[in-house]
Amino acid sequence: MIAIIDYGMGNLFSVSKALERLGEPYLITNKKDEILLADGVIVPGVGAISDAMRLLNETGIADVLRDYAASGKPILGICLGMQLLFEASEENGGCRGLGLLPGTVVKIPGVTNQGEMYKVPHMGWNLLQLRRQSPILKDVEEGFAYFVHSYYVTTKTDEIILADSLYDVCVPAVVGKNNVFGTQFHPEKSSMTGMKILENFTVLVSEGVSLK
């Protein structure tokens, strides 16, 4: 059973429908005991990271997710949910993240080195470039994925970047370390490429093996 975390800022409908298409059992929950008992966890998210972290801290779900990640069971963050996995963000004056992966969330500049302006937020289809092998990317071919974001992750730990996408800056698009994974794009809205990534996550969940 996969727990989709409901903390008030998630794209719950599209994620749950994607799991239904894969035939994967799930529950939408904000209950700590249900989260900890789940075989896998998905952290969705839309909006500002500071608001999301405030809600996660106020409800105690932030600590639950840290404990869950420490258990070795698979966890997947989507879009804002991926950004929440990192140490900090500069958005809206800055805030701390869950600290499950090393890195900082910063704003897409919106201007090239040559001074040319471009659209922010980054919204639409962009090419996914695979960089490293990972169980989350098994049998995934390079293709287009659907992004909606104004901020992206910067990290000095290149090993966690499994795939990226170029939008003037190099955007980490799929990240992962041990049992913690994230996609900056929406896999549930990214056609066959995204659905294969979600399917791979469900395989990790069904295997029931600690990835730590």
Side-chain angles (χ1 to χ4, degrees), residues 6-153:
D6 179 9
Y7 59 98
M9 293 183 64
N11 46 318
L12 305 176
F13 179 79
S14 60
V15 173
S16 62
K17 288 301 177 184
L19 292 181
E20 287 178 14
R21 293 198 296 274
L22 293 170
E24 184 69 21
Y26 70 89
L27 76 160
I28 297 172
T29 183
N30 59 6
K31 296 181 179 179
K32 301 173 186 178
D33 56 342
E34 291 181 342
I35 295 170
L36 292 173
L37 288 173
D39 301 306
V41 159
I42 292 179
V43 185
V46 292
I49 192 171
S50 55
D51 293 335
M53 279 306 304
R54 176 179 56 79
L55 291 168
L56 290 173
N57 286 323
E58 287 177 354
T59 58
I61 295 176
D63 286 335
V64 173
L65 291 175
R66 294 184 182 103
D67 290 342
Y68 190 91
S71 76
K73 293 189 286 187
I75 181 170
L76 173 67
I78 294 176
C79 196
L80 173 62
M82 176 187 127
Q83 295 178 1
L84 289 167
L85 302 177
F86 285 84
E87 295 167 308
S89 172
E90 296 179 355
E91 186 176 1
N92 292 341
C95 71
R96 303 297 299 174
L98 292 171
L100 304 180
L101 294 173
T104 302
V105 179
V106 301
K107 189 172 179 60
I108 298 173
V111 59
T112 69
N113 290 334
Q114 292 74 38
E116 299 174 352
M117 305 292 290
Y118 61 91
K119 183 181 177 181
V120 177
H122 172 204
M123 183 179 298
W125 295 86
N126 236 49
L127 182 63
L128 196 65
Q129 302 172 103
L130 306 182
R131 298 303 184 194
R132 289 173 177 81
Q133 293 184 344
S134 168
I136 200 77
L137 293 178
K138 183 179 180 182
D139 297 327
V140 173
E141 297 181 359
E142 290 192 348
F144 285 83
Y146 186 74
F147 292 80
V148 183
H149 64 120
S150 298
Y151 288 77
Y152 73 108
V153 169

Side-chain angles (χ1 to χ4, degrees), residues 142-179:
E142 290 192 348
F144 285 83
Y146 186 74
F147 292 80
V148 183
H149 64 120
S150 298
Y151 288 77
Y152 73 108
V153 169
T154 60
T155 179
K156 295 180 180 178
T157 310
D158 290 342
E159 292 79 10
I160 69 170
I161 302 175
L162 308 178
D164 57 31
S165 188
L166 189 63
Y167 190 68
D168 180 53
V169 293
C170 188
V171 175
V174 183
V175 297
K177 180 181 180 182
N178 298 328
N179 58 314

